[in-house]
Amino acid sequence: MNKARDTQRLTVAQAILKFLAVQYSEQDGRQQRLIPGVWGIFGHGNVAGLGQALEEYGDELNMPTYRPQNEQGMVHVAAAYARHRKRLATFACTASVGPGSTNMITGAALATVNRLPVLLLPSDIFANRIPDPVLQQVEHSTEHDLSANDCFRPVSRFYTRISRPEQLLSALPEAMRVLADPAETGAVVVSLPEDVQAEAYDWPASFFDKRVWHVRRPSPEQVLIEQAAELIRRAERPLIVCGGGVIYSGAEEALSRLANELNLPVCESQAGKGALPWNHPLNVGPIGAIGGLAANRLAREADLVIAVGTRLGDFVTASKTAFQHPGVQVIGINVVPMDAAKLGALSIVADAREALLALHGALRGWRAPQAYRDEVAELKTEWNAAVEAARADTGSMPPAQGAVIGAVNDVVGGHATVVCAAGSMPGDLVRLWRAEDPGAYHVEYGFSCMGYEIPAGLGIQLAEPSRRVVVMIGDGSYLMMNSELVTAVAENVNLTVVLVDNRAFMSIRGLQMECGSPSFNNELRHRNPATGRTDGPVVQLDFVKHAQGLGASAIRAETLDELRAALNDAWMQGGVHVIVVPVNLRERVPGFESWWDVPIAEVSGQDGVRQAREHYEGKVADQVGYFAPTTVKENV
């Protein structure tokens, strides 16, 4: 420390680390470290910069370094950790210049789409440009300052490149502000040229003072609450759509009280599932393209939709076919103005909990008719029966995927966290999994990123070590990013992976065939010399030996009883376990009156495609292209 000028001389990398160690988030009076650790894979672009700083100062600053096997995987770990910590904490991720950094781009997109904070520190080409072109530099003939890291710009909420040390003085506080902002949060990227990381600077000592970032809860405007309350009073068939913002806000109790006291049914998005337990009398299940009977029928006739903390994405709205009432109006409650205003909504830009409490106060004494609640109860009974049927053991060998989900859920219960991301399983899980608390359901469906599952399970375990975590993953996703099993083993966590083996990208194969095409290039088969296509014999893989080779315990469960026994053994033994379960391709969970817009070829010589196109054109006619702005009309 230089007492005369009250400065401290450190490299840029060392300063970053010391700065991050004193950043805290705070909500409702509770503080926690905003960045409690760093994930990193070192290469020539960061080993002598951030790598050196982490080795020298990491222990002193209580800033542990985690080593993954894949740069994309470590961003998934950070995103899952942030989601499970309700966006109040996340990890920093550092990678080397070139492919190491560009490997993080998919993870950045996933975080930004899902509104999850992650801090990325990709290495960059030399700022002094003397080694030019440096190894792994992407050259451009007319833009000399362009680097591969510019690819982060469209998938990040904040991006900056540090070409001089003093730029950190303004860049890092701004990066923290975005990470801690509930509306702006997402991937935050601070691009670090490898020479700048090692440069020294005399930093103001106050730069390393503890800083607490208050995670705001914006209150709703009273005039808008009054307008929303009036819309609800006038509605005959109001419906709440619950999104992930309810869980991040901690608004579960406020939502339950509002629904119970006002007789308002609540349907769920993927991110909102678990905000109310599955057996809450007014939780009518998932809505939209992967929705259930009760929610989709109520949505079709709803004259008022109250969208709370949801992006109202394509799956929730069933490609704008979910809401068919000719006079349907929408109330949008969200901290993100863009999301609050979708579908022509009366836009209430506010924290979900604060808005629901305000609505509850404004509607005191009012309730939807008991006849509406009775109708909801009947639909929920019908839906529960449909779920039971889809989860039932039909006796088929191998078992159906729905039966596998039911068996896993029954063994681990409604408080264990199930993890998934892509394929047919997210659609089956949102319908069939019975979650009993907000942390019990963790399915990434904003980006639907294959390979997210195992890193996410690791992230959740780090966020809450005492929680039981079960990753459910198809063999296609497993083959994309199984390497983080090694990391889970190295970190000594308890993680169970249920690997559903169907020898294909069976979700997209099913969609392909629903679109009228024969199965093509989605099954895991050898190339056939006779046809030139991948329609030869099935490629035989031994996933048990593979998982064992990565350090996990592994077993194959051919029956549901064997699956149940393996799940119990995994929990008793602890550690990382992979349970390989073959599934029946013929028994699939039905669609439950849902639809998703996947355009069919307008011209084809195949009968199946022509028939699918005819059906498609009929469904497109149900799409609502424009939702008129929602207003409160004066009584005449």
Side-chain angles (χ1 to χ4, degrees):
M1 179 75 70
N2 187 326
K3 300 284 186 183
R5 292 185 294 162
D6 200 20
T7 61
Q8 187 171 6
R9 191 162 181 81
L10 297 165
T11 68
V12 165
Q14 294 161 0
I16 290 172
L17 199 62
K18 294 199 72 172
F19 177 89
L20 294 181
V22 291
Q23 305 304 302
Y24 288 76
S25 67
E26 178 272 322
Q27 191 174 58
D28 299 334
R30 295 189 295 272
Q31 293 184 14
Q32 58 186 288
R33 284 272 295 271
L34 181 57
I35 310 291
V38 179
W39 284 78
I41 292 181
F42 299 139
H44 70 90
N46 63 347
V47 69
L50 280 166
Q52 185 279 326
L54 285 162
E55 194 284 325
E56 182 174 356
Y57 290 100
D59 295 340
E60 173 188 330
L61 299 172
N62 191 24
M63 185 70 76
T65 303
Y66 301 88
R67 181 198 177 281
Q69 316 310 312
N70 181 287
E71 292 90 354
Q72 182 186 144
M74 69 183 176
V75 185
H76 293 335
V77 171
Y81 180 92
R83 175 172 167 176
H84 202 74
R85 295 287 290 270
K86 296 194 174 183
R87 306 193 297 192
L88 299 175
T90 188
F91 288 116
C93 299
T94 174
S96 189
V97 66
S101 287
T102 56
N103 277 351
M104 297 197 294
I105 291 172
T106 295
L110 178 145
T112 296
V113 166
N114 287 286
R115 317 288 201 263
L116 295 171
V118 295
L119 176 61
L120 307 184
L121 305 173
S123 302
D124 212 333
I125 58 176
F126 278 67
N128 66 26
R129 300 189 192 166
I130 293 174
D132 182 49
V134 71
L135 176 66
Q136 298 167 326
Q137 177 177 343
V138 177
E139 295 182 90
H140 195 282
S141 60
T142 60
E143 296 183 56
H144 201 201
D145 62 343
L146 188 74
S147 87
N149 285 4
D150 287 281
C151 295
F152 282 102
R153 293 180 185 272
V155 296
S156 304
R157 293 296 294 168
F158 175 84
Y159 178 90
T160 187
R161 177 180 285 116
I162 304 301
S163 57
R164 293 179 59 87
E166 57 267 37
Q167 292 171 350
L168 276 186
L169 296 171
S170 58
L172 282 184
E174 182 64 6
M176 298 302 105
R177 183 195 68 78
V178 175
L179 284 174
D181 189 284
E184 293 189 39
T185 197
V188 168
V189 180
V190 180
S191 190
L192 299 169
E194 61 176 292
D195 56 336
V196 175
Q197 290 180 48
E199 287 184 24
Y201 184 75
D202 293 319
W203 305 94
S206 58
F207 189 55
F208 306 115
D209 289 345
K210 177 180 176 180
R211 175 110 184 227
V212 179
W213 299 88
H214 175 72
V215 180
R216 58 192 176 91
R217 287 190 180 277
S219 297
E221 296 180 58
Q222 187 58 35
V223 64
L224 295 177
I225 288 295
E226 291 170 0
Q227 290 180 32
E230 182 61 24
L231 287 170
I232 294 170
R233 288 190 193 96
R234 295 183 185 184
E236 296 180 359
R237 304 182 64 82
L239 175 67
I240 296 174
V241 179
C242 167
V246 173
I247 295 174
Y248 298 138
S249 172
E252 301 91 349
E253 183 179 347
L255 176 63
S256 180
R257 285 185 58 203
L258 185 76
N260 270 327
E261 295 182 20
L262 275 59
N263 288 344
L264 296 177
V266 178
C267 60
E268 309 164 313
S269 71
Q270 280 278 16
K273 185 175 175 68
L276 297 182
W278 72 272
N279 54 1
H280 188 287
L282 286 159
N283 180 354
V284 295
I287 183 176
I290 48 179
L293 287 175
N296 280 345
R297 288 177 183 174
L298 288 167
R300 193 157 49 241
E301 298 181 18
D303 57 353
L304 179 67
V305 176
I306 307 162
V308 187
T310 171
R311 297 187 306 125
L312 288 172
D314 193 31
F315 266 71
V316 167
T317 68
S319 301
K320 303 267 178 74
T321 64
F323 311 120
Q324 289 293 311
H325 190 286
V328 65
Q329 295 186 293
V330 180
I331 298 169
I333 298 171
N334 208 297
V335 290
V336 180
M338 173 180 67
D339 292 335
K342 287 174 180 173
L343 304 189
L346 172 67
S347 176
I348 301 177
V349 180
D351 173 78
R353 189 185 74 183
E354 298 305 302
L356 290 172
L357 291 173
L359 267 180
H360 185 267
L363 288 163
R364 198 174 302 278
W366 177 89
R367 303 186 84 187
Q370 184 61 37
Y372 185 45
R373 181 162 183 156
D374 292 342
E375 178 188 347
V376 169
E378 291 178 6
L379 284 169
K380 184 172 175 64
T381 299
E382 183 180 358
W383 171 235
N384 285 343
V387 171
E388 290 287 354
R391 288 166 49 120
D393 181 3
T394 63
S396 66
M397 285 295 294
Q401 183 165 281
V404 169
I405 289 171
V408 175
N409 198 178
D410 288 344
V411 171
V412 304
H415 295 285
T417 299
V418 65
V419 186
C420 193
S424 62
M425 220 155 4
D428 290 354
L429 284 167
V430 77
R431 290 162 168 154
L432 307 184
W433 192 267
R434 289 176 162 171
E436 297 180 36
D437 75 56
Y441 188 81
H442 188 115
V443 173
E444 188 285 303
Y445 218 56
F447 210 49
S448 186
C449 184
M450 296 176 74
Y452 174 81
E453 298 91 340
I454 293 172
L458 175 54
I460 296 163
Q461 268 287 285
L462 293 173
E464 190 180 356
S466 62
R467 182 177 282 267
R468 186 171 186 179
V469 180
V470 178
V471 171
M472 295 200 69
I473 185 170
D475 56 313
S477 279
Y478 177 85
L479 288 172
M480 284 196 173
M481 194 170 295
N482 49 67
S483 58
E484 298 312 324
L485 280 176
V486 177
T487 313
V489 170
E491 292 296 333
N492 304 311
V493 300
N494 298 320
L495 184 66
T496 301
V497 177
V498 177
L499 197 171
V500 174
D501 180 9
N502 54 31
R503 292 292 196 271
F505 296 151
M506 277 300 169
S507 172
I508 207 66
R509 175 185 179 273
L511 178 62
Q512 180 180 57
M513 297 180 74
E514 288 172 10
C515 293
S517 296
S519 177
F520 172 67
N521 210 46
N522 280 312
E523 298 179 58
L524 188 57
R525 294 180 177 274
H526 289 277
R527 186 166 298 280
N528 185 344
T531 65
R533 294 188 173 195
T534 51
D535 58 2
V538 171
V539 176
Q540 298 299 320
L541 299 178
D542 191 331
F543 289 112
V544 170
K545 288 183 178 178
H546 181 269
Q548 290 172 341
L550 296 180
S553 297
I555 190 172
R556 186 173 177 90
E558 298 283 353
T559 68
L560 294 177
D561 284 342
E562 290 177 356
L563 170 60
R564 295 184 187 102
L567 286 165
N568 285 322
D569 288 345
W571 182 242
M572 293 294 293
Q573 295 169 13
V576 180
H577 291 259
V578 175
I579 305 170
V580 181
V581 186
V583 294
N584 190 323
L585 304 183
R586 297 181 300 278
E587 297 183 46
R588 303 183 66 186
V589 176
F592 299 116
E593 303 175 11
S594 58
W595 184 71
W596 185 36
D597 190 346
V598 178
I600 311 297
E602 193 168 358
V603 177
S604 173
Q606 296 176 312
D607 288 340
V609 174
R610 289 197 298 270
Q611 292 170 12
R613 177 69 190 191
E614 183 178 353
H615 174 74
Y616 172 77
E617 289 175 354
K619 296 300 296 185
V620 165
D622 292 334
Q623 286 182 305
V624 180
Y626 176 73
F627 287 78
T630 297
T631 58
V632 180
K633 298 179 175 63
E634 297 294 333
N635 289 318
V636 179

